[in-house]
Amino acid sequence: MKNKFAFAFQGIVTGLRHRSIIIQFLLGFLAILAGFALQLTSGEWIAVVLAIVMVIAAEMLNTCIELLCDMYTREYNEMIKAIKDIAAGAVLVISLGALVTAMIILFRHFGG
């Protein structure tokens, strides 16, 4: 069991070698700082943390899919393009959900 956690933590460290994952971690950190500044309620914190975790996890999975596809071939392949586009689309869907969550919270604090 201990090794499984070690491998999982190593996966996070390895993921942090990829710019897109680093960016998501930084944006998540900024969202947390904004949450403290806005003095979020516990319910708002749950929504923010879930949104951050989902976006980072999706980006990590997307990066895995891209690496697997690149390992298969670096040449243009219509199926590989579709796989990468769908994975990137999943990240976009989750990111848009996180953005809507942020807008709802920000509206409560600034809009009424």
Side-chain angles (χ1 to χ4, degrees):
M1 186 74 151
K2 180 182 172 187
N3 284 345
K4 290 182 182 185
F5 282 111
F7 292 142
F9 283 113
Q10 184 58 48
I12 294 170
V13 171
T14 301
L16 287 170
R17 295 183 188 143
H18 297 270
R19 185 172 52 107
S20 58
I21 295 172
I22 292 170
I23 290 169
Q24 297 302 341
F25 268 97
L26 290 174
L27 291 172
F29 179 73
L30 291 174
I32 289 169
L33 290 179
F36 282 118
L38 293 172
Q39 299 179 339
L40 300 182
T41 65
S42 58
E44 290 170 333
W45 272 117
I46 291 168
V48 168
V49 169
L50 283 174
I52 291 168
V53 169
M54 289 186 343
V55 170
I56 291 171
E59 189 61 57
M60 291 175 79
L61 290 171
N62 180 52
T63 299
C64 288
I65 290 168
E66 288 180 358
L67 291 171
L68 280 169
C69 289
D70 291 346
M71 188 173 73
Y72 178 74
T73 183
R74 292 270 185 169
E75 296 177 18
Y76 181 81
N77 178 300
E78 195 64 36
M79 188 68 74
I80 297 289
K81 180 187 180 324
I83 291 166
K84 287 182 171 185
D85 288 351
I86 293 167
V91 174
L92 180 60
V93 167
I94 292 172
S95 296
L96 290 174
L99 178 62
V100 168
T101 300
M103 291 171 63
I104 291 168
I105 292 170
L106 289 173
F107 181 76
R108 189 184 89 66
H109 286 270
F110 294 114

